[in-house]
Amino acid sequence: MTVTRKAFALSGAMLLAVFCAAYWAGERYAARDWLPWFRASKGTLAEVVEIDNQARTDFDLQTLRLTDDRGLGVTVKAKTPVACELPRPAILTLGGVNSGGRVAADLPRTGCFVVVSIDYPYDGRRRGLSAWEVATRWPAMRKALLDTVPATMLAVDYLYQRGDIDRNRIVLVGGSLGALIAPAAAAADERIDAVAVLFGAGDIEQLVLANLQIRAPLQRPLAWLANIVLSPLEPLKYIGRVAPRPVLLINGTGDARMPEALGRELQNRAKEPKTTLWYDIGHASIRSTDFRGLVINAFADWLVEESILSDQHASEIRFAEDTPADDSARDESTDQVFHVQEKR
């Protein structure tokens, strides 16, 4: 063997060794349990600042800034019914990238619930990002996603410091992107009494692979890297740790963003008591007829079954079949995180 061939062989062996070491380290990192980190990252609620207050006939809608003693801040909308017996049950919502903070305002029928919708603690632009812009903003985006877990716990602190909340009836609802984070938040905070996961899935690597619109052979390496950096939030790690608290999991067949196999994997990992439902509605928007007529009504039925609401109070959030809705509405919750297109 010539000197040149030996050098090439040695270089190839070294590259293979580096690749194997990186892969091994990445897989170990992905398998790590992040619950202790999430709990340690939670501070103490230090300040609640009212940014806006819209008083309506039936409810007050506040925009609030919650800040903990470590500097973590999150903006929420809190919708409080005017006429309702005390103490009130509460719903915390984690929604889409662009719609998460608006859920309290978007839901017209919330009954006696205090609804607090949590926005993601990210101040950058969220819409219309190219693959390069996502790559350059990724560290800040990743931090915001991880910070959403202690931010959700901070929102529970806010509910606990109010004098009108029933601490035994706090429900966390995660939809779409929020469905990927809700299992970790619920597992980290046992003050959350029940969890609803709407249009969720497990296995982040396969989920990213299903949503990436980039030519091979880059798809699989990018999906693997995305899985490594997002592995602290992997729903499959946490959904089984919500028990013995009740879990509702609703999925849509034909959901291109949350493939059926990955939705079933998440449902299978959940432990009893759990309720799993499938509807032929794809990835329904919160403003669509399908969402309001099927998902919200199923959610209301589940609240009754779990003794969180009486049937009378549940009827206040159910929708009749003829309730008008915006069928053209599209939930953009995962577009900016997983649905990245190759710039041509």
Side-chain angles (χ1 to χ4, degrees):
M1 183 180 291
T2 66
V3 173
T4 302
R5 288 183 176 179
K6 286 183 178 179
F8 273 119
L10 181 59
S11 298
M14 291 178 64
L15 285 174
L16 180 61
V18 170
F19 172 81
C20 291
Y23 180 81
W24 177 82
E27 290 297 303
R28 281 183 59 87
Y29 181 86
R32 177 181 167 188
D33 179 11
W34 283 75
L35 269 192
W37 185 88
F38 287 135
R39 288 169 176 158
S41 298
K42 178 191 174 297
T44 301
L45 181 63
E47 186 177 45
V48 179
V49 176
E50 184 178 78
I51 300 172
D52 185 46
N53 189 342
Q54 301 176 35
R56 307 289 176 83
T57 302
D58 299 327
F59 62 87
D60 292 332
L61 182 64
Q62 297 173 285
T63 302
L64 306 171
R65 182 70 176 178
L66 312 181
T67 307
D68 71 12
D69 57 352
R70 300 181 181 182
L72 175 63
V74 62
T75 301
V76 305
K77 285 190 182 297
K79 183 178 182 180
T80 302
V82 173
C84 188
E85 62 187 32
L86 302 180
R88 301 179 175 100
I91 291 176
L92 293 171
T93 69
L94 290 169
V97 170
N98 299 305
S99 62
R102 303 196 312 264
V103 173
D106 286 345
L107 286 174
R109 294 175 61 87
T110 53
C112 61
F113 273 106
V114 171
V115 180
V116 177
S117 54
I118 303 166
D119 198 4
Y120 294 96
Y122 176 71
D123 296 326
R125 184 162 62 92
R126 306 183 186 192
R127 292 178 178 269
L129 299 177
S130 67
W132 172 251
E133 289 173 318
V134 170
T136 56
R137 290 169 169 81
W138 188 247
M141 290 179 171
R142 178 184 184 272
K143 182 179 185 302
L145 290 172
L146 268 61
D147 281 347
T148 301
V149 175
T152 302
M153 300 167 78
L154 193 64
V156 178
D157 284 353
Y158 162 70
L159 291 175
Y160 262 56
Q161 66 104 50
R162 291 178 51 143
D164 62 338
I165 301 299
D166 185 341
R167 295 184 177 184
N168 295 315
R169 292 191 292 167
I170 296 176
V171 182
L172 175 62
V173 180
S176 196
L177 176 63
L180 303 180
I181 301 173
D189 196 333
E190 294 182 355
R191 296 174 299 174
I192 295 170
D193 301 296
V195 184
V197 179
L198 312 179
F199 306 101
D203 194 334
I204 289 176
E205 182 174 354
Q206 293 302 314
L207 183 60
V208 174
L209 191 61
N211 283 270
L212 277 179
Q213 292 189 353
I214 296 177
R215 295 193 203 98
L218 294 177
Q219 288 178 322
R220 289 195 175 277
L222 287 176
W224 182 80
L225 287 173
N227 176 58
I228 300 305
V229 298
L230 291 174
S231 61
L233 296 170
E234 173 58 68
L236 297 180
K237 293 180 182 179
Y238 308 111
I239 191 65
R241 299 159 80 173
V242 176
R245 294 165 289 167
V247 181
L248 170 68
L249 301 107
I250 297 179
N251 285 82
T253 57
D255 186 340
R257 300 180 192 175
M258 303 290 186
E260 183 173 338
L262 304 184
R264 292 193 183 281
E265 178 66 16
L266 183 68
Q267 292 184 356
N268 291 338
R269 291 286 186 94
K271 295 181 180 178
E272 299 291 346
K274 66 179 178 180
T275 301
T276 60
L277 299 171
W278 285 88
Y279 295 108
D280 186 18
I281 56 176
H283 200 88
S285 161
I286 191 173
R287 297 183 296 277
S288 71
T289 302
D290 284 335
F291 190 95
R292 296 185 176 188
L294 294 174
V295 177
I296 290 182
N297 288 352
F299 175 65
D301 293 342
W302 174 72
L303 292 172
V304 174
E305 291 172 5
E306 298 299 337
S307 301
I308 295 171
L309 285 186
S310 67
D311 190 62
Q312 177 183 350
H313 284 152
S315 66
E316 296 172 359
I317 66 174
R318 291 190 180 100
F319 281 81
E321 292 183 3
D322 59 351
T323 301
D326 181 5
D327 285 316
S328 66
R330 185 172 67 90
D331 182 6
E332 298 178 346
S333 55
T334 55
D335 286 8
Q336 309 306 327
V337 179
F338 297 128
H339 195 67
V340 179
Q341 293 189 357
E342 190 174 17
K343 197 169 184 178
R344 302 180 188 280

